[in-house]
Amino acid sequence: MSFLSKLFNNKNIKELEKINLTLNEQLLNLQKELQEKEILINNYSSLQSKPNTDYSKQWQLMEKNLRNLQEENKVLKDHLINLNKIIPKQQWQYSFLVDLHHFYSTNKFIGIREKLAESGIKYLQEITEDVFSTTLKDDRYVQEGLQKFLDYKRGIIDWDVKTFLLKGDKVTKIYQKSRRFLNILADKNIEFMVDLEAFNFYSLKEYGFSDEDINSFKEKYESYNTERKI
């Protein structure tokens, strides 16, 4: 992989993120293609039962393509795991708790989210493998939910989840009631809660904010970190 050789020689985190995003996109495209091929294989099984029809050549071609795709998929996943290891968790400057609804975001995982919440689990980092064989054992999508969790443990993480993990919520969510404050943050290219680390809240006096407003913004930031920052 040309990406991997480039990665080991690049110390720029933003460049690593771009490379990681490209690998994630390739993995998703490959998985989609693999699923399409598997559908073709399943369709072929039904064709085999029809008399006087020779599908041997098509079958051999599809079987060869499927083997190649499976091997490529494995290689790509291995590279993706290696990529995540380049920035191991213990070296991250920040790490935030991830909401269940952010990790299990699709509708099919509603049941999993609800059952986890009922059992007192609120964040991704509170999940253990045991809950899939106990609390979630009867859920229709328990195996898919388990696989998604295991992928996360191995370092295969959706890009939006990884962004949340490293940077926390967007400031637009936390300060959604103060449009003027958000406009100032946007001008300063502050997008995520982690970006407020070096922000001087008292500089807001220059924009006409009162001490009460400033203290409210600052307290909300500190409260967020207390609850969510690991």
Side-chain angles (χ1 to χ4, degrees):
M1 285 260 184
S2 58
F3 290 110
L4 202 59
S5 59
K6 179 180 179 182
L7 176 63
F8 281 99
N9 295 320
N10 197 324
K11 297 181 180 179
N12 187 298
I13 297 299
K14 290 189 178 298
E15 186 64 23
L16 291 178
E17 291 179 348
K18 291 179 182 178
I19 295 170
N20 196 352
L21 178 59
T22 301
L23 283 172
N24 270 294
E25 289 176 346
Q26 286 196 0
L27 176 59
L28 290 175
N29 290 336
L30 186 58
Q31 289 174 329
K32 180 180 179 181
E33 188 174 357
L34 180 57
Q35 290 173 353
E36 291 173 351
K37 290 294 183 182
E38 288 175 338
I39 290 174
L40 290 175
I41 295 299
N42 291 333
N43 290 340
Y44 174 74
S45 296
S46 63
L47 293 176
Q48 282 184 305
S49 61
K50 295 183 178 181
N52 302 321
T53 307
D54 183 10
Y55 291 98
S56 59
K57 290 184 178 179
Q58 293 94 321
W59 167 255
Q60 291 172 4
L61 178 60
M62 285 189 292
E63 190 177 42
K64 179 181 178 181
N65 288 339
L66 182 59
R67 285 198 303 270
N68 290 340
L69 283 169
Q70 288 172 330
E71 182 61 29
E72 291 172 7
N73 194 38
K74 180 181 181 301
V75 170
L76 188 57
K77 280 191 174 184
D78 289 342
H79 281 298
L80 188 57
I81 292 171
N82 289 334
L83 174 65
N84 282 279
K85 289 179 180 178
I86 298 301
I87 315 176
K89 183 172 181 179
Q90 59 269 26
Q91 293 182 13
W92 292 350
Q93 187 175 3
Y94 301 101
S95 186
F96 291 88
L97 295 172
V98 178
D99 285 314
L100 290 179
H101 74 266
H102 201 88
F103 183 69
Y104 287 120
S105 57
T106 56
N107 289 335
K108 66 181 177 182
F109 290 132
I110 288 177
I112 286 180
R113 294 200 305 266
E114 291 178 347
K115 289 174 183 176
L116 289 175
E118 289 171 2
S119 66
I121 296 175
K122 187 177 180 181
Y123 300 113
L124 164 63
Q125 289 88 339
E126 297 173 338
I127 300 176
T128 64
E129 289 185 40
D130 292 339
V131 301
F132 294 94
S133 58
T134 54
T135 305
L136 304 175
K137 63 180 181 180
D138 296 325
D139 191 272
R140 178 181 177 185
Y141 297 103
V142 61
Q143 290 303 320
E144 291 182 50
L146 173 60
Q147 187 58 56
K148 185 175 177 64
F149 176 69
L150 293 177
D151 284 344
Y152 156 73
K153 299 289 285 185
R154 294 173 61 205
I156 303 176
I157 310 172
D158 294 340
W159 190 250
D160 59 334
V161 175
K162 174 168 282 190
T163 300
F164 194 102
L165 187 64
L166 293 171
K167 299 183 178 183
D169 277 291
K170 288 190 173 184
V171 293
T172 50
K173 177 182 177 181
I174 305 303
Y175 294 105
Q176 57 184 304
K177 294 183 179 180
S178 182
R179 177 55 53 188
R180 190 155 66 98
F181 179 41
L182 288 176
N183 288 338
I184 294 171
L185 296 181
D187 289 341
K188 296 180 180 296
N189 296 317
I190 294 176
E191 184 178 2
F192 297 93
M193 290 301 286
V194 72
D195 299 329
L196 287 170
E197 174 71 19
F199 180 72
N200 181 6
F201 284 89
Y202 296 104
S203 66
L204 294 172
K205 287 185 177 182
E206 301 173 10
Y207 299 90
F209 285 97
S210 67
D211 288 340
E212 183 179 357
D213 288 333
I214 293 172
N215 288 332
S216 176
F217 296 147
K218 192 170 185 292
E219 287 172 7
K220 186 168 289 189
Y221 165 72
E222 292 171 347
S223 176
Y224 179 86
N225 278 349
T226 299
E227 179 182 354
R228 305 295 292 274
K229 197 172 179 180
I230 300 174

